Amino acid sequence: MIKVSVFYPNKEGSKFDMGYYLSSHIPMVQKMCGASLKGGSVDQGLSGPEPGSRPAFVAMAHLLFDSVEAFQSAFGAHADSIMADVPNYTDIQPIFQISEVKG
Amino acid sequence: MIKVSVFYPNKEGSKFDMGYYLSSHIPMVQKMCGASLKGGSVDQGLSGPEPGSRPAFVAMAHLLFDSVEAFQSAFGAHADSIMADVPNYTDIQPIFQISEVKG
């Protein structure tokens, strides 16, 4: 199983519309990826390790696929549409990472 | 549900012993947190969005708890022991974040 993680760094003065992200952007990604998408989560940053400290990321999405190839095949055809929607909810440049789920 | 994420930035020349992390460190954290720990994952960074590019994080752990209070109560008593084990598998300074799982 591989995990595609999208991180939104918590920059001073930046905006992130979690309502739009959950109600529009993520459902669009889910629809476009179809059955290739095996699960995942959307996380909203609360704090760093100390209560009240700033979290490193204002939001993260973690999407599970069977393989890198399955992700590329599902996402590749729709990458332009998905990226074009980003300015509708944030002005943060997301960081992408592909990981192998080890446990 | 809240998620405690631990990120290990992928620094040139740094070490990370995934074998030790999976076989010793994570089981120690699981044992110390007991039933408060509701699940989670350990991810090994494969790449950035482009094949062959460097992932932002060499490894991540994501641990689920019912609440921030449940995490603090479970982890607080053992934080020193857990942190003292870090040099046994890495010389990377981990980044911690607490998030709310929104979906």
Side-chain angles (χ1 to χ4, degrees), chain A residues 3 5 7 22 41-49 51 55-57 60 62 72 96-103, chain B residues 3 5 7 22 41-49 51 55-57 60 62 72 95-103:
Chain A
K3 180 182 287 183
S5 297
F7 307 97
L22 289 171
S41 72
V42 174
D43 308 332
Q44 182 166 30
L46 290 179
S47 73
F57 303 107
M60 297 183 273
H62 303 285
Q72 288 172 335
F96 291 82
Q97 164 153 349
I98 301 175
S99 305
E100 185 181 347
V101 180
K102 303 292 281 187
Chain B
K3 180 183 288 183
S5 297
F7 307 98
L22 289 170
S41 72
V42 174
D43 307 332
Q44 183 167 30
L46 290 179
S47 72
F57 303 108
M60 296 183 275
H62 303 285
Q72 288 171 335
I95 297 168
F96 290 83
Q97 163 152 350
I98 300 174
S99 305
E100 185 182 345
V101 180
K102 302 292 282 186

Side-chain angles (χ1 to χ4, degrees), chain B residues 82-94:
Chain B
I82 292 169
M83 293 311 293
D85 189 45
V86 173
N88 291 326
Y89 61 88
T90 191
D91 53 4
I92 300 168
Q93 183 78 25

